Amino acid sequence: MCKLRIAGLVNDSIVDGPGMRLTVFCQGCPHNCKGCHNVHTHDFKGGYDIDVEDIVNKAKSNKLLSGITFSGGEPMCQPKSFLQLAKKIKAETDLNIICYTGYTIEQLQALNNPDINGLLDICDWLIDGKFEESLKDLTLPFRGSSNQRIIELKNNTIEWTR
């Protein structure tokens, strides 16, 4: 059974993407962005392990959800497990998937990691870039600083609008 190391789950988030979402906060982040509001997720030894199947079942049990969000920590530090979760979500639900990352899409693509590439192929949106405290903007939807981009992966388009 595939496991993820997570900091926690939020079953009814309305701030991590459109509609009501199940948000998976993974544990471990190498970025340590100044001003990060999820500092407790940075330690790779923190959090707890959970079976991917348990997350899928939780998503399936909440009929009000429109999507699932992978947040952090840094999901790209666990790409194999998040890819397995994404595949199961797409196979067993009609939920869309958003993935947050402190890396840019260009950095991720340059890694040429098959699991990261698979995750980029299956997710609907990527919100990329480190949180930059000097660019903090609380009016932006679904991101904390103006350098972060919302990328619709299926169309490879970048959303910059407020």
Side-chain angles (χ1 to χ4, degrees), residues 11 19 28 34 37 41 54 75 77 80 96 113 118 124-125 139 143 148:
N11 196 43
K34 183 179 178 187
H37 70 276
T41 67
D54 291 343
C77 289
K80 183 180 285 303
N96 62 62
N113 177 308
D124 297 287
W125 293 283
T139 67
R143 56 202 192 276
Q148 296 172 310

Coordinates of all heavy atoms in Angstrom, one line a residue, residues 11 19 28 34 37 41 54 75 77 80 96 113 118 124-125 139 143 148:
N11 N -10.9 18.8 5.4 CA -12.0 18.2 4.6 C -12.9 19.2 3.9 O -13.6 18.8 3.0 CB -12.8 17.3 5.5 CG -13.6 16.3 4.7 OD1 -13.2 15.7 3.7 ND2 -14.9 16.1 5.1
G19 N -14.4 26.2 -5.1 CA -15.3 25.2 -4.5 C -14.8 24.7 -3.2 O -13.8 25.1 -2.7
G28 N 7.1 18.2 5.0 CA 8.5 18.3 4.5 C 8.6 19.3 3.4 O 7.8 19.3 2.5
K34 N 10.5 32.7 3.9 CA 10.2 33.6 4.9 C 8.8 34.1 4.9 O 8.3 34.4 3.9 CB 11.2 34.8 4.7 CG 11.1 35.8 5.9 CD 12.0 37.0 5.7 CE 11.8 38.0 6.8 NZ 12.5 39.2 6.5
H37 N 3.0 30.5 6.0 CA 2.0 30.3 7.0 C 1.9 28.8 7.4 O 1.0 28.4 8.2 CB 0.7 30.9 6.6 CG 0.0 30.3 5.5 ND1 0.3 30.5 4.2 CD2 -1.0 29.3 5.4 CE1 -0.5 29.8 3.4 NE2 -1.2 29.0 4.1
T41 N 5.0 22.5 8.6 CA 5.1 21.4 7.6 C 6.5 21.3 7.0 O 6.8 20.4 6.2 CB 4.2 21.7 6.4 OG1 4.6 22.9 5.7 CG2 2.7 21.9 6.8
D54 N -6.7 5.7 2.2 CA -7.5 6.4 3.2 C -7.9 7.8 2.7 O -9.0 8.3 3.0 CB -6.7 6.5 4.5 CG -6.5 5.2 5.2 OD1 -7.3 4.2 4.9 OD2 -5.6 5.1 6.1
P75 N 4.8 19.1 -2.1 CA 4.3 17.8 -2.7 C 5.4 17.2 -3.6 O 5.4 16.0 -3.7 CB 3.0 18.2 -3.4 CG 2.5 19.4 -2.7 CD 3.8 20.2 -2.3
C77 N 8.3 16.8 -3.2 CA 9.3 16.0 -2.5 C 8.8 14.5 -2.3 O 9.6 13.7 -1.9 CB 9.7 16.6 -1.2 SG 10.6 18.1 -1.3
K80 N 6.1 10.3 -6.2 CA 5.6 9.0 -6.5 C 4.3 8.7 -5.7 O 3.3 8.3 -6.3 CB 6.7 7.9 -6.1 CG 6.2 6.5 -6.5 CD 7.3 5.5 -6.1 CE 8.5 5.4 -7.0 NZ 8.3 5.2 -8.4
N96 N -11.5 17.6 -9.5 CA -10.3 18.2 -10.1 C -9.2 18.2 -9.1 O -9.4 18.1 -7.9 CB -10.6 19.5 -10.7 CG -11.1 20.5 -9.7 OD1 -10.3 20.9 -8.7 ND2 -12.3 21.0 -9.8
N113 N 11.9 14.1 -14.1 CA 11.6 13.0 -13.2 C 10.2 12.4 -13.7 O 9.2 13.1 -13.8 CB 11.4 13.6 -11.8 CG 11.0 12.6 -10.7 OD1 10.0 11.9 -10.9 ND2 11.8 12.5 -9.7
G118 N 4.5 12.8 -14.5 CA 3.2 12.2 -14.4 C 2.2 13.0 -13.6 O 1.1 13.1 -14.0
D124 N -4.9 19.1 -12.7 CA -5.6 20.1 -13.6 C -4.9 21.5 -13.5 O -4.9 22.2 -14.5 CB -7.1 20.2 -13.1 CG -7.8 18.9 -13.3 OD1 -8.1 18.6 -14.5 OD2 -8.0 18.2 -12.3
W125 N -4.5 21.9 -12.3 CA -3.8 23.2 -12.1 C -2.6 23.0 -11.3 O -2.6 22.2 -10.3 CB -4.7 24.2 -11.4 CG -5.9 24.6 -12.2 CD1 -5.9 25.5 -13.3 CD2 -7.3 24.2 -12.0 NE1 -7.2 25.6 -13.7 CE2 -8.1 24.9 -13.0 CE3 -7.9 23.3 -11.1 CZ2 -9.4 24.7 -13.1 CZ3 -9.2 23.1 -11.2 CH2 -10.0 23.8 -12.2
T139 N -5.1 39.9 -1.7 CA -6.2 40.0 -2.6 C -6.2 39.0 -3.7 O -7.1 38.8 -4.5 CB -6.3 41.4 -3.2 OG1 -5.2 41.6 -4.1 CG2 -6.4 42.5 -2.1
R143 N -3.4 32.1 -3.8 CA -2.0 32.2 -3.7 C -1.6 33.4 -2.8 O -2.4 34.3 -2.6 CB -1.3 32.3 -5.0 CG -1.7 33.4 -5.9 CD -1.4 33.1 -7.4 NE -1.5 34.2 -8.2 CZ -2.7 34.6 -8.8 NH1 -3.8 34.0 -8.5 NH2 -2.7 35.6 -9.6
Q148 N 3.6 34.1 -7.7 CA 3.1 32.7 -7.9 C 2.1 32.7 -9.0 O 1.3 33.7 -9.1 CB 2.5 32.2 -6.6 CG 3.5 32.1 -5.5 CD 2.9 31.8 -4.1 OE1 2.0 32.5 -3.7 NE2 3.4 30.8 -3.4

